[in-house]
Amino acid sequence: MTEPPFCAPHHTATKAAIVGGGSGILHPGAASLAHRGCLFLDEAPEFARDVLDALRQPLESGEVVVARSGLTARFPARFTLVLAANPCPCAKGTATGAGCSCTPATKRRYLARLSGPLLDRVDVKVDLLPVGRAELLSDRHFTESSPVVAARVAAARERAAARLSGTPWRLNAEIPGSELRRSFPPAAGSLAPLERAMDLGQISARGVDRVIRVAWTLADIAGIARPTVGETSYALGLWLGVGA
C-alpha cells in the first residue's frame, strides 16, 4: 500500500461489514480496511445504533476482536473516524428552523442514535452552518490549497515524531493516557480549563486525555514547545463542540 486507505460504507452496512465477522470464515470489516487511514460515515445517524456502538472498542484499543465459539480473531483497526450528520431527518433543520418539518422529539430520537459513549471518543465536534451564495462564491479566494495544508500537517508530525523518538509511539493519539500525563505534561497552569470542566461534570476522564492529545497537536501545528492554556482551552472547545 502506498497511500492511506479511505473507506466510506453505506448507511445500510451491517455490523459485520463495519467491524468484521461473518459466518464461517471471519473477514475484516471497513474499520480494519481503513487501518492507518480514514473511515468516513456519512449520514451517521442513519446507521443502526448497534453498528455505531460497535466502533467504541476499536476506537479505544486500535483493534477489532471478533469472538466466535472456539475462535477469536483480531484485526488491526487504528483509523481516523469522521462522522457527518444532519441536525434532523429532513436535513432542513438550521438555526432559523426554516423549512424543517421535524418535531423536537423526532430530532432528539434522530441524534440519540449517536450514543454518549461513542461521542465521548470523538475528539473534535464542529457544527457547520448553511452556506449562502455569497460565501460559496467568495470562499475560493480565501481557502488554502491541499498542498499548503498537507505541508503544515507534515511539519506538525515531524515535531511530534522528534518529541516521541525513543518511545514506542509515533503520534500523539497513540500515547496512553497515564503516560501522556506523566511524561508529556502541558505547561504549568494550562490544565485549569479542564479542571473546571471536570468540576462541572462537562467532561469524562477519557475526554480529558483526548483533549490533552488534541492540545499537543495544536501546539505542534503552532510550533511551540508545550501546550499552553490557549491550546488547552481551544481543544476543550472542540471536544465540547463549541470551538469551531
Side-chain angles (χ1 to χ4, degrees), residues 115-136:
S115 67
L118 175 63
L119 292 178
D120 197 33
R121 292 165 170 83
V122 176
D123 298 345
V124 177
K125 307 174 184 71
V126 180
D127 187 13
L128 301 178
L129 299 176
V131 178
R133 178 173 59 89
E135 293 88 352
L136 188 63

Side-chain angles (χ1 to χ4, degrees), residues 8-9 12 15 18 27-28 34-35 37 71 75 80 88 105 115 117 121 133 153 177 181 200 207 223 228-229 241:
T12 57
K15 186 190 298 185
I18 298 297
H27 295 279
H35 181 60
L71 175 65
F75 301 117
T80 297
C88 63
S115 67
R121 292 165 170 83
R133 178 173 59 89
V153 172
R181 294 186 296 272
L200 295 173
T228 64
V229 67

Side-chain angles (χ1 to χ4, degrees), residues 16-236:
I18 298 297
V19 298
S23 58
I25 300 176
L26 299 182
H27 295 279
S32 293
L33 298 178
H35 181 60
R36 298 294 182 188
C38 178
L39 177 62
F40 176 53
L41 302 186
D42 195 14
E43 304 290 351
E46 298 292 346
F47 284 79
R49 179 161 179 167
D50 63 327
V51 172
L52 294 173
D53 283 341
L55 292 171
R56 289 156 48 181
Q57 182 248 336
L59 283 172
E60 196 70 23
S61 63
E63 67 175 1
V64 171
V65 180
V66 181
R68 295 290 186 269
S69 178
L71 175 65
T72 299
R74 295 178 180 271
F75 301 117
R78 191 170 294 280
F79 52 87
T80 297
L81 176 65
V82 179
L83 304 171
N86 286 309
C88 63
C90 76
K92 296 180 181 179
T94 62
T96 61
C100 178
S101 59
C102 301
T103 64
T106 300
K107 293 180 181 180
R108 285 195 299 270
R109 285 196 301 270
Y110 183 72
L111 294 178
R113 298 177 188 176
L114 302 176
S115 67
L118 175 63
L119 292 178
D120 197 33
R121 292 165 170 83
V122 176
D123 298 345
V124 177
K125 307 174 184 71
V126 180
D127 187 13
L128 301 178
L129 299 176
V131 178
R133 178 173 59 89
E135 293 88 352
L136 188 63
L137 294 178
S138 63
D139 183 63
R140 68 188 66 177
H141 301 296
F142 300 100
T143 186
E144 292 180 310
S145 64
S146 293
V148 171
V149 177
R152 187 161 63 246
V153 172
R157 286 202 169 206
E158 288 177 2
R159 294 187 188 98
R163 183 174 64 255
L164 297 175
S165 61
T167 72
W169 314 294
R170 299 184 305 166
L171 304 173
N172 295 324
E174 298 175 352
I175 308 173
S178 57
E179 193 68 27
L180 181 71
R181 294 186 296 272
R182 180 170 55 249
S183 302
F184 303 96
S190 61
L191 294 181
L194 279 176
E195 294 169 357
R196 288 194 299 269
M198 290 195 72
D199 291 340
L200 295 173
Q202 295 177 324
I203 189 170
S204 64
R206 180 187 292 111
V208 169
D209 290 341
R210 291 181 172 273
V211 168
I212 295 176
R213 291 190 186 99
V214 173
W216 268 109
T217 299
L218 293 173
D220 290 333
I221 293 174
I224 60 178
R226 288 197 297 173
T228 64
V229 67
E231 284 72 36
T232 304
S233 297
Y234 190 48
L236 176 61

